[in-house]
Amino acid sequence: MPGTVLTITSGKGGVGKTTATANIAAALAKLGQKVVCLDADIGLRNLDLVLGLENRIVYDLVDVVEGRCRLRQALIRDKRLPNLFLIPAAQTRDKTAVSPTDMVHLCNELKQEFDWILIDSPAGIERGFRNAIAPADQVVVVTNPEVSAVRDADRIIGLIEAEEKGPARLLLNRLNPQMVRNGDMLDADDVLELLAIDLLGVVPEDEAVVVSTNRGMPVALDEKSRAGQAFRNVARRLLGEDVPFMDWDSESGFLQRLGRLFGRGD
Amino acid sequence: MGWLDRLTGRDKSAHKAKDRLRLVLIHDRTDLAPGQLDALKDELIAVISRYIEIEPQAVEIQLSQDGREQYLVANIPLRPTRRARK
Ligand SMILES: Nc1ncnc2c1ncn2[C@@H]1O[C@H](COP(=O)(O)OP(=O)(O)O)[C@@H](O)[C@H]1O
Ligand SMILES: [Mg+2]
């Protein structure tokens, strides 16, 4: 059976696309899936660093597309997870070096060999976005529970629908349960109601993400980290498992529930 | 802010964020600026008034949504015809 192309995108930059790509990939590989990550953020290569594979790069995506190497030569295998591979972005080129058609051809080839092709999309709504979305079978939109990130997510969800790649699913990243409890951060329910799309996962704000990124070791491999747990849950959901969403606010405000009783309108 | 708003969390920043986003998303999705909606309303009143007598002050035009679908909802009360009473 040919593999699935999953594109991870966002409207606003810096919301966690690269972190999500690396960790969902690592979690899927840990579950025995054969996974390749494709860094489509040409000119702003980062996925290699987050995965800790930066010292092993010889060829990149643009080399493959322009025929300077064979696909096999550009695949970097992760030594910790032998099922996980990376095709890095070119660092010294720009997004016009690759076309949406190039991406479709490349992914069709990769689908023969891999269960999952994860594409880390650049932020924004231009060429880089269209490159990343063209070969997608499924799309994940990453956002943070914060006004401008949610607004930009809505815009990108509309564009994904217009490209007939929808419905996209939501990955809500950097949720701070304490702030939600205090009524100072949008909750997952709020964001879902506003964006009106399905939820793939909720990842908490977690210092372990920064630490693991420093080390080049995906947090999904850290058994103790809550963000790691959330990414592992996402991977299982992608494989069709019905994994309940983590309950961050089990001790959630009595007043908030009372508020709902008074018809706060949620 | 009254005590009820405080009790129900309506004065919290997350609630404000949600209310503001709800409005801004409607306008983003329809590519219709809030001011344009007023202009649309005025023109609509003018056109309809050419055919039928309405209550201009009571006309309500709103964008509403169901999932990601947007609707323009108009509520246009008609004025009872005086001619009929003559
Ligand atoms: N759940 C999280 N908790 C804490 N820090 C996070 C989390 N997710 C992402 N970050 C941090 O946010 C920054 C931006 O993340 P990144 O994945 O590079 O975003 P993008 O690829 O969308 O630009 C990085 O420094 C990353 O370590
Ligand atoms: Mg990135």
Side-chain angles (χ1 to χ4, degrees):
Chain A
M1 212 175 69
T4 305
V5 179
L6 179 78
T7 296
I8 293 148
T9 191
S10 74
K12 193 170 182 287
V15 294
K17 292 177 296 296
T18 301
T19 306
T21 306
N23 282 290
I24 297 170
L28 281 170
K30 196 83 196 286
L31 290 169
Q33 299 285 300
K34 196 168 177 197
V35 186
V36 60
C37 303
L38 234 164
D39 190 346
D41 202 347
I42 299 169
L44 292 168
R45 172 200 279 175
N46 263 330
L47 188 56
D48 53 329
L49 259 184
V50 177
L51 283 168
L53 299 174
E54 70 276 13
N55 290 328
R56 311 238 333 262
I57 296 177
V58 181
Y59 295 110
D60 60 47
L61 178 60
V62 176
D63 292 324
V64 176
V65 166
E66 294 183 349
R68 269 190 300 279
C69 71
R70 301 201 323 182
L71 178 53
R72 212 160 281 287
Q73 294 173 285
L75 286 168
I76 302 168
R77 178 184 229 136
D78 190 321
K79 287 179 181 138
R80 298 155 302 193
L81 291 164
N83 279 343
L84 179 60
F85 293 77
L86 167 71
I87 299 181
Q91 184 69 318
T92 55
R93 300 290 295 272
D94 70 52
K95 298 176 180 24
T96 57
V98 175
S99 73
T101 321
D102 293 332
M103 292 294 285
V104 171
H105 290 323
L106 176 62
C107 286
N108 281 341
E109 216 174 313
L110 290 168
K111 275 184 179 191
Q112 304 309 313
E113 185 125 354
F114 291 92
D115 299 313
W116 293 90
I117 298 113
L118 266 54
I119 302 181
D120 182 13
S121 161
I125 55 182
E126 279 142 31
R127 176 68 166 267
F129 166 74
R130 283 188 292 122
N131 280 341
I133 221 75
D137 298 311
Q138 299 180 25
V139 183
V140 175
V141 171
V142 183
T143 193
N144 301 148
E146 177 258 320
V147 284
S148 45
V150 172
R151 183 191 200 169
D152 294 353
D154 191 70
R155 182 107 164 78
I156 221 78
I157 292 164
L159 291 175
I160 292 162
E161 277 176 7
E163 298 273 331
E164 300 188 338
K165 293 289 184 179
R169 281 184 289 175
L170 187 75
L171 184 66
L172 185 60
N173 187 29
R174 307 194 76 158
L175 187 101
N176 181 326
Q178 184 61 51
M179 287 189 77
V180 171
R181 272 198 290 279
N182 292 342
D184 279 324
M185 184 177 271
L186 292 165
D187 199 357
D189 295 342
D190 298 324
V191 179
L192 284 179
E193 186 193 317
L194 288 162
L195 296 179
I197 61 171
D198 284 342
L199 183 63
L200 180 63
V202 182
V203 181
E205 173 78 28
D206 187 347
E207 286 177 9
V209 172
V210 181
V211 176
S212 70
T213 307
N214 285 342
R215 296 191 201 283
M217 181 78 171
V219 78
L221 305 178
D222 175 353
E223 291 295 325
K224 289 188 294 273
S225 146
R226 293 205 301 165
Q229 178 68 52
F231 283 122
R232 289 195 295 275
N233 287 351
V234 167
R236 287 165 57 201
R237 285 185 200 113
L238 286 173
L239 296 179
E241 229 181 288
D242 187 12
V243 186
F245 289 95
M246 285 156 94
D247 191 12
W248 312 113
D249 46 14
S250 40
E251 70 253 59
S252 154
F254 159 73
L255 288 182
Q256 256 148 319
R257 258 175 269 142
L258 196 68
R260 254 167 235 148
L261 219 66
F262 276 116
R264 204 179 80 187
D266 328 298
Chain B
M1 284 289 163
W3 65 272
L4 189 63
D5 280 349
R6 261 195 300 283
L7 186 72
T8 57
R10 243 183 296 230
D11 66 336
K12 294 292 190 165
S13 72
H15 198 83
K16 284 275 175 307
K18 192 174 178 184
D19 281 347
R20 292 173 60 221
L21 274 167
R22 199 177 272 138
L23 272 178
V24 87
L25 291 189
I26 288 179
H27 289 288
D28 282 1
R29 285 176 192 170
T30 49
D31 200 16
L32 191 71
Q36 284 179 296
L37 195 58
D38 290 334
L40 185 151
K41 181 174 165 180
D42 291 343
E43 283 188 51
L44 199 63
I45 290 173
V47 170
I48 294 172
S49 301
R50 289 216 297 271
Y51 295 88
I52 190 164
E53 270 198 273
I54 60 176
E55 303 274 4
Q57 327 75 281
V59 170
E60 276 177 39
I61 304 279
Q62 272 180 329
L63 285 166
S64 85
Q65 69 219 88
D66 178 15
R68 294 189 62 82
E69 311 264 347
Q70 309 285 311
Y71 298 87
L72 187 64
V73 180
N75 193 347
I76 306 170
L78 301 181
R79 188 171 284 171
T81 47
R82 294 192 196 93
R83 257 170 282 143
R85 263 183 262 136
K86 266 192 222 159

